[in-house]
Amino acid sequence: MTEGVPKFTFVKPPNYTALLVDIRRAGKPVVIEGQSGTGKTTTIKMALAEIFPDAVPTLLTPREPTHLPIIQAIGLNSGNKTFVVDDFHRLDKDTKESLADLAKVIAERDNRETLPKLILIGINNIGADLIKLVPDVAKRIGIHRITPGTFELISEIISLGSKKLNIEIEKPELIFKESQGDYWLTQSICRAICIRYNVDKTKNDLIMVNWENTEIKKAVVSNLYHNYDSAVKEFCRGRRFRSTNDPYYKLLRAVSEQTESNVDLNEIANARPDIRGSINNVKDHRLKVLLEQKESCSRLFYYDSDTKNFAIEDPALFFYIKNLDWEALRQRCGFREGIKDFEWDIAISFAGENRAFASFITDQLKELDISVFYDRNYEDNYLGGLWSENFLNIFQNKSRLVVVILDEHHKSKVWPTFERDCFRSRISEGEVIPVFLDKTIFPGIPTDLVSIHFNFSGDVDAQRDKIIDDVVLRIAGKLDQC
């Protein structure tokens, strides 16, 4: 069975009794954490059914819009009801803090029998997150981590299902290896095996099922294709498709190579210098905006831009991307081969007198899903370092193109002159886009170089639409061709 609570194949995790005791204890706040697919929600449903056989509490989740007001209204005056909040990590910061504060207050009271019972469910480390929000809450709540199944537990699931069908599925150790102890995937793999070998009901005589791994993995991925392919492509192509705009693709492919579906993007960036630029390109801003604007992606992927925690909460999706033909996906997405890794699409050079102009261009390019190095946005990243060394690397190596806003100020000032020296060698390669605001001539920039000429009045607001049409969209158009 691959949906709902398993009727015949549920197995209790090793810490089930400890969890049951804490859930049964009146008023004591309980946190259940663990990676996707470890059976957190199923385990809680089974425990609640055991404790409340006549009226199982409703599981509340921020995924359901009608549940949000209920969750946000939970307070000391909610009575002694039991509130089970699933997907806790998906709540906004204020609601998380409110529930954490409430948990602390309840835990400290002597008369907890009259207060609400909180059961909070989420992915890895929500217990740690709660402690950060309210540091002295740790000793007063029950924190339980549901871990992936051991080989013994997974074997028990397979055995229970096999007994019901009067079959014996061989190589349970291989199912365990492929599922990584994930209960849902174990069920899915067994289902695919049964379908492939025509086991659709209980057999009269015992049947030995000897299955082939590659064949079954392909079957599972094929079954999941229509569920996930469209959203995976949407994610990989970003908010605005360009054949060279593949950092989301590289990010997701890197996640598919991890052992867990909940990852720290800073750690991946540090561990993978070959794609570090792409990860850094999207982790601060672009990824968050992508998930905000593409509902099909936000349903499947979770990202906390503060902690840089990226998670695939659906174990089936994680299995799907782990066994995906990534080269075939790259071609379906329309990305070119051998795309060089850059931390920024654009690095912008300007004199201080034109900061408002440069800032507006930066903001508009970001709206087009284009990453821009604009000094003030990254000052904290380079504290303690030398601007000269960092700028040399950024303008020479870390940006796909350089946009330089040229006028008499850029020519006469020391720092903009240094920046021109940094990217001068790229001019002949067609990787520098000059934006002339006056007729100043610059050594090293040919007068017949195809450039943008813009008559800037000094008032960005007054020329907003013209800047977008004549400057921003032309820069974006050049990127489309790179």
Side-chain angles (χ1 to χ4, degrees):
M1 182 174 178
T2 56
E3 62 280 328
V5 177
K7 186 175 181 180
F8 304 112
T9 58
F10 173 73
V11 295
K12 296 177 179 179
N15 57 343
Y16 182 80
T17 301
L19 175 60
L20 195 70
V21 168
D22 272 352
I23 293 177
R24 186 181 289 129
R25 188 171 178 183
K28 183 175 183 178
V30 177
V31 168
I32 300 93
E33 61 184 23
Q35 73 179 67
S36 298
T38 53
K40 300 182 297 296
T41 303
T42 295
T43 299
I44 289 302
K45 285 181 177 179
M46 298 297 286
L48 291 173
E50 187 172 335
I51 297 170
F52 306 99
D54 298 324
V56 178
T58 300
L59 265 70
L60 303 170
T61 171
R63 293 175 183 268
E64 175 54 60
T66 59
H67 289 179
L68 273 174
I70 301 173
I71 296 171
Q72 293 166 343
I74 300 172
L76 284 174
N77 60 351
S78 297
N80 62 352
K81 295 180 181 178
T82 297
F83 294 94
V84 188
V85 181
D86 205 351
D87 301 310
F88 175 84
H89 55 284
R90 280 187 169 269
L91 293 169
D92 62 79
K93 185 178 179 182
D94 289 342
T95 306
K96 285 181 183 178
E97 289 180 349
S98 175
L99 289 175
D101 287 333
L102 179 61
K104 176 181 179 293
V105 172
I106 293 172
E108 290 176 334
R109 296 289 181 90
D110 293 328
N111 61 332
R112 289 185 300 191
E113 292 79 5
T114 63
L115 299 176
K117 170 85 174 182
L118 289 181
I119 301 174
L120 309 176
I121 310 171
I123 60 171
N124 290 347
N125 303 322
I126 71 157
D129 289 343
L130 270 178
I131 293 168
K132 290 176 185 176
L133 292 172
V134 186
D136 54 348
V137 78
K139 297 178 181 178
R140 301 178 178 88
I141 63 176
I143 300 177
H144 301 268
R145 179 178 174 81
I146 306 298
T147 57
T150 62
F151 174 67
E152 288 72 23
L153 286 176
I154 297 302
S155 295
E156 185 179 351
I157 290 175
I158 298 169
S159 177
L160 288 170
S162 297
K163 183 178 180 180
K164 194 69 182 177
L165 292 169
N166 196 27
I167 63 173
E168 185 171 331
I169 297 178
E170 298 186 353
K171 298 178 286 193
E173 69 284 352
L174 188 52
I175 295 177
F176 173 72
K177 177 182 177 182
E178 291 298 340
S179 70
Q180 293 290 302
D182 186 297
Y183 302 110
W184 187 92
L185 281 175
T186 297
Q187 303 273 17
S188 297
I189 292 170
C190 290
R191 180 178 184 274
I193 292 171
C194 289
I195 290 174
R196 168 62 182 84
Y197 294 96
N198 302 315
V199 180
D200 60 343
K201 59 183 178 180
T202 301
K203 297 297 182 180
N204 294 325
D205 300 316
L206 178 66
I207 294 178
M208 305 296 292
V209 181
N210 185 14
W211 56 284
E212 199 277 314
N213 189 29
T214 302
E215 181 181 44
I216 295 304
K217 281 203 294 186
K218 285 182 178 178
V220 175
V221 170
S222 178
N223 289 338
L224 297 173
Y225 176 87
H226 294 293
N227 297 73
Y228 301 121
D229 184 68
S230 177
V232 167
K233 283 197 298 185
E234 281 280 295
F235 180 91
C236 291
R237 287 164 66 97
R239 286 189 291 140
R240 184 172 183 269
F241 172 72
R242 299 194 308 274
S243 61
T244 56
N245 184 32
D246 69 345
Y248 304 102
Y249 167 87
K250 289 177 178 175
L251 182 157
L252 195 58
R253 185 168 187 172
V255 172
S256 77
E257 296 165 1
Q258 308 303 304
T259 57
E260 292 194 2
S261 60
N262 180 28
V263 299
D264 184 323
L265 294 192
N266 284 328
E267 291 182 1
I268 290 184
N270 291 333
R272 292 286 303 273
D274 57 320
I275 59 168
R276 183 178 299 154
S278 289
I279 302 297
N280 290 337
N281 190 308
V282 300
K283 68 181 176 63
D284 290 326
H285 174 76
R286 296 174 71 191
L287 181 56
K288 177 176 181 287
V289 176
L290 171 69
L291 297 184
E292 289 173 347
Q293 295 189 355
K294 286 196 173 185
E295 184 182 354
S296 63
C297 296
S298 66
R299 289 197 301 266
L300 299 178
F301 306 103
Y302 167 79
Y303 184 58
D304 186 326
S305 58
D306 293 326
T307 63
K308 304 299 182 283
N309 177 263
F310 180 84
I312 296 173
E313 299 170 353
D314 184 343
L317 173 59
F318 190 53
F319 180 87
Y320 179 75
I321 68 167
K322 285 184 73 69
N323 293 284
L324 199 56
D325 183 336
W326 281 92
E327 280 306 305
L329 177 62
R330 182 186 62 75
Q331 294 176 18
R332 292 203 305 277
C333 287
F335 294 128
R336 299 180 190 173
E337 293 186 33
I339 302 171
K340 188 177 177 182
D341 200 61
F342 291 100
E343 196 154 335
W344 292 280
D345 296 313
I346 298 290
I348 190 164
S349 172
F350 58 93
E353 289 78 0
N354 295 313
R355 181 169 290 281
F357 186 76
S359 178
F360 179 75
I361 291 173
T362 297
D363 290 342
Q364 295 304 310
L365 288 172
K366 285 167 67 176
E367 289 297 315
L368 297 175
D369 197 25
I370 294 170
S371 61
V372 183
F373 175 79
Y374 172 73
D375 56 3
R376 282 194 176 168
N377 291 342
Y378 295 95
E379 286 177 348
D380 290 352
N381 295 24
Y382 297 101
L383 288 175
L386 297 175
W387 268 128
S388 56
E389 292 181 3
N390 288 311
F391 267 50
L392 180 64
N393 200 15
I394 290 165
F395 283 105
Q396 278 191 350
N397 306 308
K398 289 189 173 183
S399 54
R400 190 178 302 277
L401 295 175
V402 173
V403 170
V404 53
I405 300 171
L406 297 170
D407 65 356
E408 59 180 348
H409 301 298
H410 204 285
K411 184 174 183 180
S412 63
K413 289 198 161 186
V414 173
W415 191 259
T417 299
F418 166 74
E419 291 177 2
R420 291 199 307 277
D421 290 338
C422 290
F423 59 73
R424 189 182 304 276
S425 62
R426 302 184 66 182
I427 295 174
S428 60
E429 302 298 322
E431 296 173 352
V432 176
I433 302 175
V435 180
F436 283 96
L437 302 185
D438 61 22
K439 296 184 178 180
T440 303
I441 296 175
F442 289 81
I445 300 180
T447 56
D448 61 345
L449 185 69
V450 179
S451 308
I452 296 173
H453 295 269
F454 188 82
N455 185 18
F456 182 45
S457 67
D459 187 342
V460 169
D461 290 335
Q463 294 184 284
R464 177 185 179 89
D465 292 342
K466 192 166 181 59
I467 297 172
I468 292 174
D469 291 340
D470 296 351
V471 181
V472 175
L473 294 181
R474 291 188 66 186
I475 294 170
K478 171 66 175 178
L479 268 175
D480 289 341
Q481 301 168 17
C482 290

